[in-house]
Amino acid sequence: MERAKVGIIGCGNISEIYFKNCLAFGLDVVACADLDVSRAKSRAEQFDIPKACSVEELLADEGVEFVINLTVPSAHANVSMSALQAGKHVHSEKPLALNLEEGLALLAFAKDKNLRVGAAPDTFLGSAIQTSRKLIDDGWIGQPVAATAFMVGHGVESWHPNPDFFYQPGGGPMFDMGPYYLTALVNLLGPVRRLTGLTQVTFPERTITTASRFGEKIPVNVPTHVTGLLEFEQGAIGTIITSFDVWHAELPRIEIYGTEGTLSVPDPNYFTGSVRVRRKGATAWSEVAHLFGFEENSRGLAVADMVDAVRNGRPHRASGELALHIVELMEGIHVSAQSGRHYDVQSRCERPAPFSVGFDEQALRLIIGGK
């Protein structure tokens, strides 16, 4: 089978791991593009990519079958739509779009043209959360009844060189980090049917403390402490808090509470981490050995999964429907907070199919056609 030909749009910091992994997984990265073509040329030279060009040239290239969209969040929907209009399957960095309306338009167009849409994060395909999923599916904690998820810190202005967009619409802790936590929860527990949200802005202005822009002020135009209550279709109730307003905390990342015990899930921003379970009557937590590969940073794994899915006519795991559901959950929490009412979720998605036990990097390369 001919190797899948991939083009990458957006050659910023996060692109490096995508180039590295896509090539390692056996995908044929044939072109890359950026608004700053010099950045595309730099990545092309670094990874021996045959073509560095403008976005328009990449989309016009009939040899490119799959596009990876690594542009800034505000451009995700427009660039992904352009890729679909050019007849290409597309996988976007998170989030898929900034609101439900944009996401629905993407999926409707893709369905009409028989094209695939996918989106990050794909960390839920890593060893830790896949192992957590199997423990739930095999009944180790019984029927899940509740879940908690926490991502709290004090923002990014102390380390990010250009943190401005984190504090503007489309940014904030929920749209920045929420996709990791919500995608993990939906993978573990299934879709959400109703939610409630509360939000606030604690600090209306932020001060950059990195060397290059030390002392510059950023106006805050997005909620920076966001709390959501989630009613899952299968009956569990979840609580998620994402915050840029907390100096220090001692909180778990994700915990799932079941009728027979509790599951501790590690940081969903990573592919690995300690998975622990404590069943009723146990006097201590037990760490569970991982049952799958992909322990390292495997961003791009969802692209490889999409390629195999297209080739074999099956659903891909990091699907557009899953990504759209996550966008609506994030938007819905903010809408609920503004309206003071519950928000009924319109979108639906299936839980992504789990990997088979033992699935790893070598197995992936075999099915994709790499070496």
Side-chain angles (χ1 to χ4, degrees), residues 6 16 25 93 138 156 170 177 183 185 263 275 278 301 340 345 353:
V6 174
E16 185 170 18
F25 294 153
E93 245 305 317
D138 288 354
V156 301
M177 295 300 294
T183 302
L185 288 173
L263 175 66
V275 177
R278 186 168 177 178
L301 174 56
V345 181

mmCIF file of all heavy atoms in Angstrom, residues 6 16 25 93 138 156 170 177 183 185 263 275 278 301 340 345 353:
data_model
loop_
_atom_site.group_PDB
_atom_site.id
_atom_site.type_symbol
_atom_site.label_atom_id
_atom_site.label_comp_id
_atom_site.label_asym_id
_atom_site.label_seq_id
_atom_site.Cartn_x
_atom_site.Cartn_y
_atom_site.Cartn_z
ATOM 1 N N VAL A 6 1.305 13.467 3.341
ATOM 2 C CA VAL A 6 0.835 14.425 4.338
ATOM 3 C C VAL A 6 1.470 15.788 4.103
ATOM 4 O O VAL A 6 2.660 15.881 3.775
ATOM 5 C CB VAL A 6 1.178 13.917 5.758
ATOM 6 C CG1 VAL A 6 0.835 14.967 6.813
ATOM 7 C CG2 VAL A 6 0.451 12.612 6.043
ATOM 8 N N GLU A 16 7.430 20.684 15.517
ATOM 9 C CA GLU A 16 8.609 19.806 15.534
ATOM 10 C C GLU A 16 8.251 18.379 15.925
ATOM 11 O O GLU A 16 8.690 17.414 15.285
ATOM 12 C CB GLU A 16 9.677 20.366 16.471
ATOM 13 C CG GLU A 16 10.979 19.563 16.438
ATOM 14 C CD GLU A 16 12.102 20.267 17.172
ATOM 15 O OE1 GLU A 16 11.804 21.175 17.988
ATOM 16 O OE2 GLU A 16 13.277 19.906 16.936
ATOM 17 N N PHE A 25 6.275 7.244 12.376
ATOM 18 C CA PHE A 25 5.135 6.336 12.257
ATOM 19 C C PHE A 25 4.984 5.768 10.847
ATOM 20 O O PHE A 25 4.204 4.842 10.635
ATOM 21 C CB PHE A 25 3.833 7.053 12.645
ATOM 22 C CG PHE A 25 3.752 7.448 14.095
ATOM 23 C CD1 PHE A 25 2.974 8.535 14.472
ATOM 24 C CD2 PHE A 25 4.445 6.754 15.077
ATOM 25 C CE1 PHE A 25 2.885 8.908 15.815
ATOM 26 C CE2 PHE A 25 4.368 7.133 16.412
ATOM 27 C CZ PHE A 25 3.583 8.212 16.781
ATOM 28 N N GLU A 93 -4.867 20.845 15.230
ATOM 29 C CA GLU A 93 -4.526 20.987 16.641
ATOM 30 C C GLU A 93 -5.782 21.450 17.370
ATOM 31 O O GLU A 93 -6.735 21.931 16.780
ATOM 32 C CB GLU A 93 -3.373 21.997 16.828
ATOM 33 C CG GLU A 93 -2.086 21.392 17.375
ATOM 34 C CD GLU A 93 -2.266 20.647 18.684
ATOM 35 O OE1 GLU A 93 -2.981 21.142 19.582
ATOM 36 O OE2 GLU A 93 -1.696 19.558 18.829
ATOM 37 N N ASP A 138 -13.324 -3.019 32.079
ATOM 38 C CA ASP A 138 -13.278 -4.359 32.673
ATOM 39 C C ASP A 138 -13.910 -4.413 34.059
ATOM 40 O O ASP A 138 -13.906 -5.467 34.708
ATOM 41 C CB ASP A 138 -11.831 -4.859 32.758
ATOM 42 C CG ASP A 138 -11.254 -5.218 31.395
ATOM 43 O OD1 ASP A 138 -12.017 -5.179 30.402
ATOM 44 O OD2 ASP A 138 -10.052 -5.534 31.317
ATOM 45 N N VAL A 156 0.392 31.777 32.237
ATOM 46 C CA VAL A 156 1.558 31.486 31.407
ATOM 47 C C VAL A 156 2.487 32.678 31.226
ATOM 48 O O VAL A 156 3.537 32.549 30.591
ATOM 49 C CB VAL A 156 1.101 30.983 30.021
ATOM 50 C CG1 VAL A 156 0.245 29.735 30.149
ATOM 51 C CG2 VAL A 156 0.324 32.073 29.275
ATOM 52 N N GLY A 170 -11.192 32.807 22.985
ATOM 53 C CA GLY A 170 -10.554 31.650 22.370
ATOM 54 C C GLY A 170 -9.411 31.128 23.206
ATOM 55 O O GLY A 170 -8.901 30.036 22.950
ATOM 56 N N MET A 177 -6.462 24.391 28.035
ATOM 57 C CA MET A 177 -6.167 23.083 28.624
ATOM 58 C C MET A 177 -7.384 22.172 28.755
ATOM 59 O O MET A 177 -7.252 20.966 28.887
ATOM 60 C CB MET A 177 -5.537 23.282 30.004
ATOM 61 C CG MET A 177 -4.186 23.956 29.959
ATOM 62 S SD MET A 177 -2.953 23.043 28.993
ATOM 63 C CE MET A 177 -2.774 21.561 29.989
ATOM 64 N N THR A 183 -11.561 15.625 26.839
ATOM 65 C CA THR A 183 -11.421 14.489 25.918
ATOM 66 C C THR A 183 -11.133 13.207 26.687
ATOM 67 O O THR A 183 -11.695 12.143 26.376
ATOM 68 C CB THR A 183 -10.315 14.759 24.888
ATOM 69 O OG1 THR A 183 -10.615 15.952 24.164
ATOM 70 C CG2 THR A 183 -10.179 13.608 23.903
ATOM 71 N N LEU A 185 -12.061 12.570 29.762
ATOM 72 C CA LEU A 185 -13.286 12.186 30.457
ATOM 73 C C LEU A 185 -14.297 11.550 29.511
ATOM 74 O O LEU A 185 -14.934 10.543 29.851
ATOM 75 C CB LEU A 185 -13.900 13.410 31.138
ATOM 76 C CG LEU A 185 -13.166 13.944 32.377
ATOM 77 C CD1 LEU A 185 -13.793 15.259 32.826
ATOM 78 C CD2 LEU A 185 -13.180 12.928 33.512
ATOM 79 N N LEU A 263 -10.413 5.192 40.646
ATOM 80 C CA LEU A 263 -9.322 5.169 39.677
ATOM 81 C C LEU A 263 -8.673 6.540 39.631
ATOM 82 O O LEU A 263 -9.351 7.561 39.472
ATOM 83 C CB LEU A 263 -9.853 4.804 38.290
ATOM 84 C CG LEU A 263 -8.868 4.847 37.118
ATOM 85 C CD1 LEU A 263 -7.794 3.775 37.280
ATOM 86 C CD2 LEU A 263 -9.617 4.668 35.798
ATOM 87 N N VAL A 275 -0.901 5.315 36.750
ATOM 88 C CA VAL A 275 -2.306 4.917 36.852
ATOM 89 C C VAL A 275 -2.460 4.102 38.128
ATOM 90 O O VAL A 275 -1.768 3.100 38.321
ATOM 91 C CB VAL A 275 -2.747 4.081 35.636
ATOM 92 C CG1 VAL A 275 -4.194 3.616 35.796
ATOM 93 C CG2 VAL A 275 -2.562 4.869 34.353
ATOM 94 N N ARG A 278 -7.757 1.929 43.676
ATOM 95 C CA ARG A 278 -7.968 1.506 45.066
ATOM 96 C C ARG A 278 -9.412 1.034 45.178
ATOM 97 O O ARG A 278 -10.346 1.831 45.136
ATOM 98 C CB ARG A 278 -7.689 2.645 46.039
ATOM 99 C CG ARG A 278 -7.763 2.210 47.500
ATOM 100 C CD ARG A 278 -7.207 3.284 48.410
ATOM 101 N NE ARG A 278 -7.348 2.914 49.814
ATOM 102 C CZ ARG A 278 -6.898 3.672 50.833
ATOM 103 N NH1 ARG A 278 -6.278 4.823 50.564
ATOM 104 N NH2 ARG A 278 -7.072 3.281 52.072
ATOM 105 N N LEU A 301 -0.101 10.765 16.608
ATOM 106 C CA LEU A 301 -0.636 9.408 16.621
ATOM 107 C C LEU A 301 -2.036 9.372 16.024
ATOM 108 O O LEU A 301 -2.391 8.443 15.290
ATOM 109 C CB LEU A 301 -0.638 8.883 18.064
ATOM 110 C CG LEU A 301 -1.293 7.532 18.333
ATOM 111 C CD1 LEU A 301 -0.679 6.432 17.479
ATOM 112 C CD2 LEU A 301 -1.167 7.176 19.821
ATOM 113 N N GLY A 340 -26.784 31.899 33.636
ATOM 114 C CA GLY A 340 -27.254 31.447 34.937
ATOM 115 C C GLY A 340 -28.174 30.251 34.862
ATOM 116 O O GLY A 340 -28.952 29.985 35.782
ATOM 117 N N VAL A 345 -26.687 19.950 26.026
ATOM 118 C CA VAL A 345 -25.680 19.730 24.980
ATOM 119 C C VAL A 345 -26.348 19.157 23.736
ATOM 120 O O VAL A 345 -27.081 18.164 23.806
ATOM 121 C CB VAL A 345 -24.567 18.790 25.488
ATOM 122 C CG1 VAL A 345 -23.513 18.586 24.401
ATOM 123 C CG2 VAL A 345 -23.932 19.372 26.756
ATOM 124 N N ALA A 353 -13.116 3.940 20.003
ATOM 125 C CA ALA A 353 -12.758 2.539 20.217
ATOM 126 C C ALA A 353 -11.406 2.459 20.918
ATOM 127 O O ALA A 353 -10.467 3.173 20.549
ATOM 128 C CB ALA A 353 -12.699 1.806 18.885
#
